[in-house]
Amino acid sequence: MRNVFLVYMPLRNAEAMAHYEDTIRKKVSLERIAHFVSPDLRARLQEVFGSHDVAVLGSVAGQMNRSFFDKMTEGDDLLIVEGDSIKLIGKIAAKTVNADLSRDLWQPIGREQSPPWELIYFVANPRELNVPFAEFCNLFGYAAHYQLRGFTAVSEEKLGLFYDKFDDLYSVLVRVKQGEPVLEKSYPPRPKQANEETAKERLLAEIHSDDVDQVLRSDLVSDHVKMQWKLANLGLKAGERVWVPAGDQAKLRTLYQFETFDRQFASGIDLPHSYVENIDVVWKQEFRIDAAYEIENSTAIYSGLLRFADLMILAPNTIYPMFIVAPTERKNRVREQLTRPTFRQMNLCGKVKFLSYEAVEDIDEFFSGSSSGLNVDLIAGKAEKIC
């Protein structure tokens, strides 16, 4: 269960809003930060943010602020509230107590010398929301006119009640912003595996990284890995970080000399990793998933949909797109599986799109010499809703 921290910025606090503009919206280069932090922290920021600039905020080191700051851990949620609206949500990537960095980042405004914001936290996945704070109060059981002040944290009791009912706070608030219903978690029976996989399909589904020689002799799996490689490459061109299952990484290295994938999934993603780490390709940014792809030519289509169904049970408010990637001739088979009673009851058809091999090949060819304009929305536009 992730902590949730709240930073309140009064509408008329010119200094706070100027600092927000300077280091949250405009962000800060890692090179600038590196002069003031330890080698270990510098390496961690490099690991999380890569070459991207970093969103940074801080608080004055009072006793109460320090008590909340000490509770902060990687992956915790941070909300910045301006007036009566949630201005931004992000994830805590790291933190440091550093008066020198504070003075470099945030110059005082006006004649008075204000205390440095030396309790510094680095914010991953910042997204401006502009959602009424009253919506947050309703979700967490605060009084309708609860008055937020300064820097604080949601109590464990309120967090427990929220996460008993809902999944990812970010997804829930984005749904609120978009006017979509917020769904509570439910636990329908997990559908049993269909007895439709051939012995060869079951064998191929169980191949691990140590079986590379066997993989190289299988045309079906070679096509599967080729599509993983293409989707991984397209992810990098779209400015995404890329994850492929640990058992497939050796295949990409051997067949395509591809190694630009994350070595670990991400500790800040609010799902049991076993449900996500085995998805064929995941595009992500720091601690958030941007798209998930299941490639289905060497295993029964049912298996990929079952992974997505598990995710929808655990995280019904999921907002990132999910794709079944398969040859065009398998589209009708995907449609048949999506209309199974269990999947239909979960509205999986409303969440999962069909992305043909041919569409991936076309996108890959079009962006062979460029990446301008390539993003998740473009991929979604080339995919089909088939039921």
Side-chain angles (χ1 to χ4, degrees):
M1 185 169 64
R2 299 291 168 193
N3 290 314
V4 177
F5 294 94
L6 305 168
V7 176
Y8 180 71
M9 291 185 172
L11 286 168
R12 297 180 181 177
N13 188 327
E15 182 175 57
M17 295 315 300
H19 294 345
Y20 174 91
E21 183 70 23
D22 289 342
T23 63
I24 290 287
R25 294 196 71 186
K26 295 180 180 177
K27 302 183 181 178
V28 182
S29 70
L30 182 57
E31 182 180 4
R32 181 178 176 187
I33 295 168
H35 295 298
F36 299 95
V37 300
S38 69
D40 286 346
L41 179 54
R42 185 161 61 246
R44 181 56 188 149
L45 294 175
Q46 177 73 49
E47 182 181 358
V48 173
F49 295 98
S51 60
H52 297 158
D53 290 346
V54 182
V56 190
L57 200 62
S59 297
V60 175
Q63 183 176 354
M64 185 65 72
N65 285 358
R66 184 59 190 257
S67 68
F68 292 128
F69 180 82
D70 287 343
K71 294 178 183 178
M72 270 187 175
T73 60
E74 183 180 288
D76 286 344
D77 287 300
L78 176 74
L79 299 179
I80 297 176
V81 180
E82 179 189 16
D84 59 2
S85 295
I86 300 171
K87 188 174 182 66
L88 178 138
I89 185 169
K91 290 275 191 181
I92 300 298
K95 64 181 182 180
T96 184
V97 181
N98 195 317
D100 290 337
L101 177 58
S102 173
R103 282 188 286 268
D104 184 77
L105 294 177
W106 301 300
Q107 301 298 320
I109 296 176
R111 295 182 179 179
E112 283 193 30
Q113 182 71 34
S114 55
W117 292 9
E118 61 186 70
L119 305 180
I120 296 174
Y121 24 98
F122 303 94
V123 184
N125 311 106
R127 174 164 180 165
E128 293 192 322
L129 286 176
N130 297 316
V131 171
F133 183 59
E135 297 281 1
F136 175 88
C137 292
N138 181 54
L139 288 167
F140 280 86
Y142 286 100
H145 301 293
Y146 171 68
Q147 295 296 308
L148 182 62
R149 293 288 182 269
F151 175 44
T152 189
V154 176
S155 70
E156 289 186 10
E157 179 184 3
K158 290 187 181 298
L159 284 174
L161 291 172
F162 175 84
Y163 283 113
D164 282 346
K165 294 172 64 177
F166 304 111
D167 45 299
D168 178 50
L169 176 60
Y170 169 80
S171 300
V172 167
L173 290 177
V174 170
R175 281 181 168 271
V176 170
K177 176 180 174 65
Q178 295 174 343
E180 299 176 3
V182 175
L183 306 176
E184 295 189 14
K185 290 189 286 191
S186 61
Y187 300 93
R190 190 177 190 270
K192 294 181 180 179
Q193 179 70 42
N195 294 320
E196 56 192 24
E197 290 180 303
T198 65
K200 183 177 182 181
E201 285 176 329
R202 285 196 297 273
L203 175 64
L204 295 175
E206 294 168 1
I207 289 177
H208 299 294
S209 58
D210 294 335
D211 304 316
V212 173
D213 289 340
Q214 183 177 349
V215 168
L216 294 176
R217 292 194 296 269
S218 168
D219 292 338
L220 282 176
V221 175
S222 294
D223 286 345
H224 183 279
V225 178
K226 177 182 178 182
M227 195 53 55
Q228 275 184 302
W229 170 63
K230 285 185 178 292
L231 288 167
N233 262 328
L234 289 172
L236 295 180
K237 288 187 175 185
E240 301 282 341
R241 300 173 69 135
V242 173
W243 167 262
V244 298
D248 292 339
Q249 292 176 11
K251 304 170 196 175
L252 294 187
R253 291 191 192 98
T254 301
L255 288 167
Y256 299 105
Q257 294 76 53
F258 183 89
E259 298 199 35
T260 318
F261 37 68
D262 280 8
R263 303 298 177 181
Q264 296 181 339
F265 195 72
S267 60
I269 291 177
D270 294 327
L271 283 171
H273 288 187
S274 59
Y275 289 92
V276 184
E277 289 179 342
N278 291 320
I279 292 174
D280 287 322
V281 180
V282 175
W283 290 7
K284 54 193 285 289
Q285 289 288 346
E286 289 112 37
F287 300 121
R288 296 209 186 284
I289 297 172
D290 280 349
Y293 303 86
E294 274 291 324
I295 302 165
E296 301 299 345
N297 74 330
S298 61
T299 59
I301 289 167
Y302 187 88
S303 62
L305 292 175
L306 195 58
R307 285 199 186 97
F308 287 155
D310 284 340
L311 287 179
M312 293 310 304
I313 291 171
L314 291 166
N317 294 293
T318 293
I319 57 174
Y320 57 83
M322 295 179 283
F323 304 97
I324 291 291
V325 185
T328 297
E329 59 265 24
R330 301 203 81 188
K331 181 164 64 175
N332 287 337
R333 189 70 181 125
V334 175
R335 181 184 292 111
E336 290 173 6
Q337 291 296 316
L338 277 169
T339 55
R340 294 173 69 101
T342 300
F343 295 151
R344 189 169 60 244
Q345 182 181 355
M346 299 175 65
N347 190 31
L348 201 63
C349 197
K351 302 284 188 180
V352 177
K353 285 188 170 185
F354 177 80
L355 182 65
S356 70
Y357 275 20
E358 293 80 1
V360 175
E361 296 282 3
D362 287 346
I363 295 167
D364 183 54
E365 182 177 356
F366 185 84
F367 288 99
S368 60
S370 170
S371 60
S372 177
L374 178 56
N375 53 37
V376 174
D377 289 340
L378 184 142
I379 301 292
K382 296 293 185 180
E384 301 176 62
K385 187 175 180 179
I386 59 173
C387 58

